[in-house]
Amino acid sequence: EVQLVESGGGLVQVGGSLRLSCAVSGFAANDATIGWFRQAPGKDREGVSCLGSRLRSIYYTDSVKGRFTISSDNAKNTVYLQMNSLKPEDTAVYYCAAVVRGSCPGGGTQYDFWGQGTQVTVSS
């Protein structure tokens, strides 16, 4: 059974940091494109970052460049999103998603599997 389980969200002050984790089961994360998305209340889902399969291409949306870092630990089959210098506009539910092989960057519709989401709240 394929599962993506996010963790690491929480409440943090402006300028703080959080590290989100996406634990993958059912296939090797290294063989998949893993994406991080977020959705704030009343807004559309937004692609934040992705880590491509095989060649491990990386993408960040402009608003998080220089502040967020995506990485993976193959031994733990887990993908991380390190978020630094957090801003109130980063407040959202964050989801990880996966598609075997896939492409990064690639549209959100390519992803076959989604996690349940983890809330990130940045207070000012």
Side-chain angles (χ1 to χ4, degrees):
E1 180 186 4
V2 175
Q3 273 194 317
L4 305 178
V5 179
E6 301 101 333
S7 61
L11 174 64
V12 65
Q13 291 187 331
V14 168
S17 299
L18 286 173
R19 188 178 77 159
L20 304 184
S21 300
C22 176
V24 178
S25 59
F27 58 85
N30 195 44
D31 289 335
T33 291
I34 307 293
W36 283 99
F37 295 80
R38 64 187 179 186
Q39 188 163 23
K43 294 189 176 181
D44 292 336
R45 184 182 67 195
E46 175 189 24
V48 175
S49 179
C50 60
L51 182 62
S53 65
R54 307 295 173 84
L55 296 180
R56 304 267 85 177
S57 56
I58 291 177
Y59 163 85
Y60 299 101
T61 194
D62 286 346
S63 62
V64 308
K65 284 180 181 175
R67 301 189 297 123
F68 291 11
T69 304
I70 193 169
S71 63
S72 64
D73 184 332
N74 292 337
K76 295 182 178 179
N77 216 31
T78 298
V79 174
Y80 303 97
L81 186 68
Q82 178 67 44
M83 306 187 298
N84 298 329
S85 302
L86 283 163
K87 305 175 180 180
E89 51 263 43
D90 294 318
T91 295
V93 178
Y94 284 70
Y95 301 89
C96 66
V99 56
V100 175
R101 290 187 289 281
S103 62
C104 168
T109 56
Q110 71 169 331
Y111 292 95
D112 294 321
F113 308 103
W114 292 80
Q116 81 287 354
T118 186
Q119 176 70 47
V120 171
T121 303
V122 184
S123 64
S124 56

